[in-house]
């Protein structure tokens, strides 16, 4: 059974035509092409797949994106992680706590990246994490 629909493959092909050249997509643009079909492979996943290569062919890109889709987009895992930080079960967490985890765990983000991510959802030092996750996966 195919993992990607014909529509997803067509979207990926269109994005590859924009971000790639001569049938290959540079490593720096793989995430953009994957997002065109609604997926967000991590940089670590992309690097592991590339094994040092600087570009990827379209068929290999489809394989990478298909693997990412099979694993799922991580939405539930992220919500579960946020809920574990929500000691009061109110649907929000302290912005400083979120900032700490984003800066120090997993794929570490820079201060400007964290500011851009948190600012729209920071309400008096608290972040409504369900709204944040909804926006991340929109």
């Amino acid at each position: 059974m195919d993992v990607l629909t014909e529509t997803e493959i067509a979207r990926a092909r269109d994005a590859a035509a924009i971000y790639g050249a001569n049938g290959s997509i540079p490593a720096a643009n793989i995430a953009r092409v994957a997002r065109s079909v609604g997926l967000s492979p991590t940089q670590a996943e992309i690097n592991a797949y590339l094994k040092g290569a600087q570009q990827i062919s379209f068929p290999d890109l489809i394989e990478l994106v298909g693997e990412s889709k099979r694993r799922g987009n991580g939405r539930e895992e992220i919500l579960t992680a946020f809920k574990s930080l929500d000691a009061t079960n109110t649907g929000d967490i302290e912005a400083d706590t979120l900032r700490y985890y984003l800066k120090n765990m997993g794929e570490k983000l820079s201060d400007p990246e964290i500011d851009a991510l948190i600012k729209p959802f920071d309400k008096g030092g608290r972040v409504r994490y369900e709204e944040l996750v909804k926006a991340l996966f929109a």
Side-chain angles (χ1 to χ4, degrees), residues 71-132:
R71 280 191 305 279
N73 62 17
R75 182 183 187 131
E76 290 305 315
E77 290 87 356
I78 293 172
L79 277 173
T80 299
F82 284 148
K83 287 177 183 177
S84 73
L85 299 174
D86 182 6
T88 58
N89 202 26
T90 57
D92 57 29
I93 56 177
E94 291 185 30
D96 289 340
T97 299
L98 179 56
R99 176 177 294 284
Y100 171 82
Y101 282 100
L102 292 172
K103 190 169 187 165
N104 296 294
M105 308 296 269
E107 285 193 45
K108 296 164 185 68
L109 299 179
S110 68
D111 286 329
E113 290 170 324
I114 294 169
D115 290 340
L117 180 66
I118 292 177
K119 189 175 181 178
F121 305 98
D122 187 343
K123 307 295 183 216
R126 311 255 338 145
V127 174
R128 301 285 303 167
Y129 55 83
E130 288 187 8
E131 293 174 16
L132 171 62

Side-chain angles (χ1 to χ4, degrees), residues 5-122:
T5 67
E6 289 181 29
T7 301
E8 289 170 327
I9 292 171
R11 284 186 193 147
R13 186 173 283 114
D14 291 346
I18 293 169
Y19 295 111
N22 300 322
S24 294
I25 300 94
N29 292 335
I30 292 172
R32 288 183 182 105
V33 177
R35 283 194 296 270
S36 73
V37 294
L39 300 172
S40 299
T42 65
Q43 193 59 49
E45 290 171 327
I46 293 169
N47 292 343
Y49 191 85
L50 289 174
K51 297 178 182 147
Q54 297 302 307
Q55 58 188 13
I56 189 171
S57 69
F58 185 74
D60 287 342
L61 173 80
I62 293 301
E63 183 179 328
L64 170 65
V65 171
E67 286 177 16
S68 182
K69 184 175 179 181
R70 275 189 293 276
R71 280 191 305 279
N73 62 17
R75 182 183 187 131
E76 290 305 315
E77 290 87 356
I78 293 172
L79 277 173
T80 299
F82 284 148
K83 287 177 183 177
S84 73
L85 299 174
D86 182 6
T88 58
N89 202 26
T90 57
D92 57 29
I93 56 177
E94 291 185 30
D96 289 340
T97 299
L98 179 56
R99 176 177 294 284
Y100 171 82
Y101 282 100
L102 292 172
K103 190 169 187 165
N104 296 294
M105 308 296 269
E107 285 193 45
K108 296 164 185 68
L109 299 179
S110 68
D111 286 329
E113 290 170 324
I114 294 169
D115 290 340
L117 180 66
I118 292 177
K119 189 175 181 178
F121 305 98
D122 187 343

